[in-house]
Amino acid sequence: MLNRVASFTGLRGIFVKLTEQVRNLMDQVRNLMEHATVLQASYQEERSHRQQLEWELRALKAKLYNPKSEKCDPNQLQLMLDGFEDPLVVETKPKQTLPAEKEL
């Protein structure tokens, strides 16, 4: 009978230790799940921020390289054309005279 009581007491001790270890593991799982939730929220926030920056970059590139940005202002064109009509801008070349044809 003493052997049975001793073995029961030993089993009870093992059961108590296992129960405590299971509780500790459950606490760790709970903590890890909370940490994963925080990390996921942080990831979503960073991803959203990165997407916003990508859209802004695309908009800036479109503004910079858009064909509309390369159009010439009509006033600039007129200014350039007026410059060619100005005698100071136009280079004057001396008239070339053709050599007289030799008579045979």
Side-chain angles (χ1 to χ4, degrees), residues 19 29 65 99 103:
T19 304
V29 167
Y65 298 114
E103 292 185 26

Side-chain angles (χ1 to χ4, degrees), residues 1-13:
M1 178 95 167
L2 285 176
N3 285 339
R4 285 184 177 182
V5 172
S7 65
F8 180 72
T9 307
L11 288 175
R12 185 173 182 187

Side-chain angles (χ1 to χ4, degrees), residues 23-99:
R23 283 187 189 133
N24 287 338
L25 287 174
M26 289 176 68
D27 287 341
Q28 288 178 2
V29 167
R30 203 172 301 115
N31 288 338
L32 288 172
M33 289 177 72
E34 288 173 3
H35 188 64
T37 303
V38 169
L39 286 175
Q40 187 175 15
S42 177
Y43 169 76
Q44 291 294 337
E45 184 179 330
E46 290 297 321
R47 184 176 178 197
S48 175
H49 183 67
R50 180 180 53 83
Q51 286 176 340
Q52 179 64 31
L53 290 175
E54 285 177 355
W55 280 107
E56 289 177 17
L57 181 60
R58 283 185 191 141
L60 288 173
K61 282 182 179 179
K63 196 174 191 179
L64 182 63
Y65 298 114
N66 192 352
K68 291 181 182 178
S69 68
E70 296 180 14
K71 287 186 178 177
C72 188
D73 184 9
N75 294 329
Q76 290 176 333
L77 184 60
Q78 186 60 44
L79 184 64
M80 187 174 71
L81 292 174
D82 289 343
F84 283 121
E85 294 172 4
D86 189 359
L88 296 177
V89 176
V90 177
E91 292 181 25
T92 56
K93 294 182 182 177
K95 294 184 180 179
Q96 282 185 335
T97 56
L98 295 176

